[in-house]
Amino acid sequence: MFTIKDHLEISDDHLIIGGVDTVSLAEEFGTPLYITNESRVIGNFSAYRKAFPDADIYYAAKANGSFAILRMLAREGAGADVFSYGELYMALLAGIPREKILFNGNSKTDFELQKAVDIGVKVSVDSLDELHTLSNLAQGAGKKVEIAFRVNPDVSPKTHPKISTGLRSSKFGIPSEEVVSAYREASRLPGISPCGIHCHIGSQILETTSFTEATHKMMDLVEKVTDIGIDLKFVDMGSGLGIPYKKDEGPAPTPKDHANAIVPIFKEKTKALGISPKLILEPGRFIVADTTILLARVNTVKKAAKNFVGVDAGFNLLVRPTMYDSYHYAVVANKASSPAEETYTIVGPICETGDIFAKDRTLPCIEKGDIIALLDAGAYGFSMSSQYNGRPRCAEVLVKDGKADIIRTREDVQDLMGRQTLPARLM
Ligand SMILES: *Cc1c(COP(=O)(O)O)cnc(C)c1O
């Protein structure tokens, strides 16, 4: 059953976030609407920093790239893990220093690599082919690029197959047994300074044993790479710590549990080797997932094969249930403490059968005009949104201490034209 998260409250039967009534937010800003609680973002980031006091925390910008979020994390001292020039651009604009940015990606364009060289960010290199391209570009610019190799550590965390990234068969990284020769190659190449090692085993991971396994494998590689004379300045263990989308899946590991799975192994090995690389973590989901709700208004209720509730948000705004079969609690925001009476399936307006947010949920009696809040929508929510089905993207609001500010205005149909043009013959 739904239990209220500690930054959400219920007052007068209404759902409250960051001290603000969600029902009045729906009135003021319209629906669909993403609402993020600033204090919760800061709190989650602080929890990570506290759990890893000696590490650098590089926020994975793809989880939620909204500018206000990048900005508040920049002010907290976060670095960034970016996966495209677009994310790099936004992270820099938000004030994240280039020294604290790692440019990731398994298929970067030459343009992106050139940008990384020119701006001077660290690059996580995913293949020998990429290494050579980067070396040429750096040489051409008369620069030296700091690199890590993205290692495929061959561990299989228990998570959805679409977000398991460290399997042997995954497209990411260099197989462990080729890593040492990759560093040998890198140390020979002009324009390249091999100084880090990187892995990221997946996302929404709720057991810490795979973090431990990955750390053992990575620290073995750290030893081998150190043995051939590479001076490692950082070891980046990625992240992937999951959050309890569903309470009855049992207790979820905390950042502290994540730290306990990694730090002792890291410390022991670096001490034995007499080296002192910086540990880097790249949490995305954990920082933002539970900070944000998606509000949608009920358009229609229909008794058919199921008791369908049609709302005004669809998978164009929150694709996780459709793409990853993920679970999000649904709360009737204007009847938040009313007794649950009926079983409903909450669906979006998109012309696809898979456009389902919540299946067979027992909720208070729902009528047209009610407001549904989908919880834990902050990670891989808006950042994966689209205009599919001719649907302009919704607005985003940031709340803090009882106040609400718009951080992204609602698109309208003119935004559907975007940058499209017509050839003369169709004018
Ligand atoms: C996506 C990603 C992350 C963040 O993963 P979360 O599950 O959101 O914590 C970190 N590092 C890399 C390289 C990633 O691709």
Side-chain angles (χ1 to χ4, degrees):
M1 266 314 288
F2 159 67
T3 38
I4 207 87
K5 302 263 166 168
D6 50 10
H7 72 117
L8 301 173
E9 302 161 87
I10 294 172
S11 169
D12 284 342
D13 215 13
H14 286 190
L15 181 68
I16 312 290
I17 178 168
V20 188
D21 185 340
T22 57
V23 179
S24 32
L25 287 175
E27 292 303 326
E28 186 180 352
F29 297 101
T31 54
L33 185 69
Y34 268 106
I35 307 166
T36 296
N37 184 356
E38 180 170 345
S39 312
R40 187 69 174 186
V41 178
I42 303 301
N44 289 344
F45 181 75
S46 307
Y48 240 99
R49 206 171 30 191
K50 232 175 119 190
F52 291 91
D54 302 322
D56 275 346
I57 311 295
Y58 286 15
Y59 170 61
K62 73 178 188 292
N64 187 329
S66 293
F67 192 57
I69 287 176
L70 295 176
R71 180 74 185 144
M72 67 180 86
L73 290 172
R75 288 192 164 189
E76 290 297 306
D81 145 34
V82 300
F83 226 80
S84 64
Y85 175 55
E87 285 181 0
L88 172 58
Y89 171 83
M90 293 295 289
L92 290 168
L93 205 62
I96 295 175
R98 67 170 180 83
E99 296 82 7
K100 285 195 189 172
I101 295 178
L102 182 68
F103 197 133
N104 283 302
N106 66 296
S107 178
K108 307 179 191 80
T109 61
D110 287 9
F111 169 81
E112 287 178 314
L113 291 172
Q114 184 73 57
K115 282 290 181 189
V117 168
D118 293 345
I119 294 165
V121 293
K122 301 186 283 284
V123 177
S124 174
V125 173
D126 197 82
S127 69
L128 287 180
D129 203 11
E130 182 187 333
L131 180 70
H132 288 115
T133 308
L134 190 60
S135 167
N136 288 334
L137 292 173
Q139 231 185 328
K143 296 205 176 175
K144 222 168 168 92
V145 190
E146 296 195 322
I147 67 132
F149 282 109
R150 168 78 178 257
V151 175
N152 180 333
D154 189 15
V155 295
S156 48
K158 270 198 226 88
T159 186
H160 193 283
K162 280 184 189 158
I163 46 176
S164 200
T165 54
L167 305 182
R168 193 161 180 82
S169 57
S170 152
K171 72 170 181 174
F172 298 105
I174 294 177
S176 301
E177 63 275 13
E178 289 164 33
V179 164
V180 173
S181 68
Y183 278 93
R184 269 210 192 89
E185 178 79 3
S187 58
R188 277 200 298 267
L189 286 180
I192 298 288
S193 167
C195 60
I197 188 161
H198 177 215
C199 77
H200 171 67
I201 58 173
S203 197
Q204 186 51 19
I205 298 167
L206 289 173
E207 33 89 30
T208 56
T209 49
S210 40
F211 294 124
T212 302
E213 188 190 340
T215 310
H216 278 300
K217 290 188 172 179
M218 288 291 283
M219 295 318 288
D220 284 350
L221 289 173
V222 165
E223 175 165 2
K224 287 184 181 147
V225 167
T226 303
D227 281 351
I228 64 162
I230 304 281
D231 179 15
L232 287 177
K233 287 199 258 173
F234 67 94
V235 177
D236 184 337
M237 289 301 301
S239 182
L241 184 65
I243 71 133
Y245 286 101
K246 214 172 163 182
K247 290 281 184 200
D248 54 13
E249 280 167 356
T254 61
K256 192 81 202 130
D257 297 326
H258 192 194
N260 289 340
I262 293 178
V263 175
I265 304 164
F266 172 81
K267 280 201 171 147
E268 192 189 299
K269 192 61 144 190
T270 49
K271 194 168 165 225
L273 295 172
I275 59 173
S276 46
K278 189 94 189 165
L279 179 63
I280 297 175
L281 279 305
E282 303 174 325
R285 185 187 308 275
F286 183 87
I287 306 296
V288 287
D290 74 358
T291 67
T292 300
I293 62 177
L294 173 60
L295 287 191
R297 197 177 280 276
V298 175
N299 286 327
T300 171
V301 183
K302 172 172 72 177
K303 270 205 161 67
K306 287 182 184 273
N307 218 358
F308 289 113
V309 173
V311 297
D312 61 2
F315 78 62
N316 62 310
L317 295 179
L318 180 64
V319 79
R320 298 191 64 259
T322 305
M323 186 149 153
Y324 308 118
D325 303 310
S326 63
Y327 189 96
H328 290 266
Y329 283 113
V331 179
V332 187
N334 57 319
K335 298 173 179 170
S337 50
S338 299
E341 287 175 1
E342 284 256 25
T343 301
Y344 294 102
T345 290
I346 299 168
V347 300
I350 305 256
C351 185
E352 304 254 356
T353 314
D355 186 25
I356 299 173
F357 283 131
K359 279 183 195 149
D360 301 324
R361 305 291 176 84
T362 312
L363 295 168
C365 183
I366 297 177
E367 305 153 286
K368 179 180 174 62
D370 284 344
I371 310 280
I372 305 288
L374 296 161
L375 307 193
D376 302 323
Y380 309 101
F382 195 100
S383 64
M384 285 187 155
S385 66
S386 76
Q387 295 177 327
Y388 180 50
N389 243 191
R391 294 187 179 275
R393 289 185 189 81
C394 69
E396 283 188 289
V397 161
L398 188 66
V399 294
K400 186 178 191 320
D401 304 334
K403 287 215 190 67
D405 293 284
I406 192 103
I407 55 168
R408 189 192 304 262
T409 56
R410 188 174 300 283
E411 292 180 352
D412 62 23
V413 286
Q414 280 157 27
D415 293 301
L416 299 178
M417 265 309 283
R419 300 217 172 188
Q420 302 182 81
T421 58
L422 289 177
R425 69 178 178 284
L426 294 179
M427 291 283 191

